[in-house]
Amino acid sequence: MAEEYTECLLGNKYHEGCPGCKVDQMKRLRRGFPFWELFSVWIIVLCTALPISSLFPFLYFLIDDFGIAKKEEDIGFYAGFVGCSFMLGRALTSVIWGLVADRYGRKPVILIGTASVVVFNTLFGLSLNFWMAIITRFCLGSFNGLLGPIKAYAMEIFRDEYQGLALSAVSTAWGIGLIIGPAIGGFLAQPAKQYPSLFSQDSIFGKFPYFLPCFAISIFAFLVTIISLWIPETLHNHKFDDVQSFDAVKDDTESNKVAEKNEKSSLLNNWPLVSSIIVYCIFSLHDMAYSEIFSLWANSPRKYGGLGYTTADVGSVLAISGFGLLIFQLSLYSYAERNLGPIIVTRISGSLALVVLSTYPLIAKLSGVALTLTVNSASVAKNVLSTSAITGLFILQNKAVRQDQRGAANGIAMTAMSFFKAIGPAAAGIIFSWSEKRQNAYFLPGTQMVFIILNVVLALGVLMTFKPFLAETQH
């Protein structure tokens, strides 16, 4: 759905009543920095990212409270299934939401996604047992299909010169949400125990010790849903005559090459798209597994090679990491991407993350101030590098297709990534539980094995950023 698009943009064929034409005209006439658009994209992505990993700091204790694990070493096993249920739900529905976004518009999918956080994240906080927790998380993932459409929306609502910033905003908000979410979970879980002067054991927050962080995120999601009612739709609702896309208006030759290539092949035959999605999946698998393992490792007792941290301690580390990530993405990422290109940024970030992650087993041997400084520094570096790698892959995916394919293309990416992210927590929980039972093994005892496996996955992702595997759309 991209014909007549160039003519529409140039004002020759403005279609009255078409929201896409209205947005295109607004972009042509408007000057100045797009603060409102940046803010709206940022809070929508943050809203959908917060609940994904907010449970990790208290998941260890939640499973323990359910009483389903017979032994302490088995907690990680059950935690993995609760952690992966969100991603499994999203994997089964992402393509559908992408198609809905291409057919009916980006805005309806965005509104449904933010509203689903309000409903199902609240219910998760009120979970009475293991199965209720899994079902509410699965439903939350199934209805939360907006990450693919919001990436398409971000490419369409911004002028050409700000599109790199737009996708950087998506990945930054996403990365910060995956960090601040657990920080919220860490600070607000078990409030009657952490803040007895403010919360009574007889209150709802005492009876449901993990409800407060979920409720806080749901309140934020409700506000985002209200704000999202005012965002414009960007999809065109009329027929077109040619195949040019907005991204190529300023360069007709460039547009023709991309359009001809995409018209002759389906999305699944578009190797620049498919290769970037595959690499994206590997990095996503690693990131999700790392997020769960970091919290389990930090919460687990010292005798099992963990840090013996409380939920608040983990929350502090993740809050500092989120602040560090925000500073980096707003100040340095755009400069690095502009000068090096998305593939090189992804490759360098992944390689440096390998080095950082290799130090984690040694960190557990520290204590006091040395432990605090080291674990915070490592966490900031690891999250900055991971988000930088993911941002580069976002840019590659969205440049590989034209506008009317972006919803479906991002839906495919979300489905594939969600399957890998569903595997991540489940596998991470099982491997972590297994590692705690082999403290005296001769080869890579305890958590050493966990971090080596994480590094193997990450190394595979880095190798796949080289030719001939990862391809960039040639103009």
Side-chain angles (χ1 to χ4, degrees), residues 47 114-115 117-118 216-228:
C47 163
T114 56
V117 174
V118 178
I217 291 171
S218 295
I219 291 294
F220 176 67
F222 177 75
L223 295 175
V224 172
T225 304
I226 299 301
I227 292 171
S228 297

Side-chain angles (χ1 to χ4, degrees), residues 233-309:
E233 178 58 65
T234 60
L235 191 67
H236 290 264
N237 61 8
H238 53 85
K239 295 292 182 181
F240 297 109
D241 298 325
D242 59 25
V243 293
Q244 286 184 296
S245 69
F246 172 67
D247 298 331
V249 168
K250 63 181 181 180
D251 190 337
D252 290 334
T253 303
E254 183 177 292
S255 175
N256 288 334
K257 288 181 179 178
V258 175
E260 287 169 8
K261 184 173 182 180
N262 285 330
E263 192 173 38
K264 291 176 182 176
S265 61
S266 70
L267 289 176
L268 296 180
N269 289 328
N270 182 338
W271 184 245
L273 173 66
V274 172
S275 62
S276 62
I277 288 176
I278 293 172
V279 181
Y280 175 47
C281 288
I282 299 298
F283 276 93
S284 296
L285 169 65
H286 168 82
D287 285 349
M288 200 66 181
Y290 167 81
S291 296
E292 171 146 334
I293 283 174
F294 179 82
S295 292
L296 290 174
W297 172 65
N299 285 143
S300 65
R302 284 278 191 169
K303 64 181 179 179
Y304 293 127
L307 303 182
Y309 273 14

Side-chain angles (χ1 to χ4, degrees), residues 204-222:
I204 187 172
F205 300 114
K207 295 176 181 177
F208 296 94
Y210 311 106
F211 176 57
L212 182 58
C214 297
F215 183 64
I217 291 171
S218 295
I219 291 294
F220 176 67
F222 177 75

